[in-house]
Amino acid sequence: WYQRRVRDCFSGELELTSSELLDTFVDTSCWSKGFLVVNGNVVGRYWPEAGPQYTIYIPGAFWMEGINKVTMVELQSQCQELTLILSDKHVIDGPVNGDLI
């Protein structure tokens, strides 16, 4: 039996119009380690300290017109900056910390 303690769970809502339902990337560089949920769908895990990927891809089909719920489940430490940064660019060229993997 293995149990992982969830440190923090951050949720917010985002209202989108039909013209805003686009492929998006979430920048996780200010977060520690965890996973992202959009409208009940687990989109991906993040661990920017381990690298090299700093963004999580959200397909446009995961978004809905109207209110969208976004949740960051933080497993490692409390975030200093509670900001969700959305971008149209993927950042996958960060350093890799082999000691963490």
Side-chain angles (χ1 to χ4, degrees):
W1 178 258
Y2 178 74
Q3 187 174 17
R4 181 181 295 245
R5 183 175 175 273
V6 174
R7 300 246 336 160
D8 294 297
C9 187
F10 302 94
S11 291
E13 292 181 342
L14 196 64
E15 187 168 3
L16 300 173
T17 64
S18 61
S19 65
E20 297 172 311
L21 306 179
L22 305 171
D23 291 350
T24 308
F25 298 96
V26 173
D27 183 343
T28 63
S29 60
C30 67
W31 297 83
S32 296
K33 179 182 181 182
F35 57 94
L36 170 68
V37 181
V38 175
N39 294 324
N41 299 301
V42 177
V43 178
R45 299 176 295 172
Y46 60 90
W47 193 7
E49 185 181 349
Q53 181 172 328
Y54 290 123
T55 54
I56 297 177
Y57 172 67
I58 304 173
F62 278 34
W63 298 115
M64 304 181 303
E65 187 172 355
I67 302 296
N68 291 267
K69 185 173 182 180
V70 179
T71 303
M72 298 289 280
V73 179
E74 181 63 38
L75 301 174
Q76 200 165 46
S77 66
Q78 185 169 357
C79 302
Q80 300 298 316
E81 186 179 322
L82 300 178
T83 303
L84 187 68
I85 301 171
L86 303 177
S87 174
D88 62 350
K89 297 192 178 16
H90 202 15
V91 180
I92 57 171
D93 57 354
V96 175
N97 185 343
D99 294 336
L100 295 175
I101 303 174

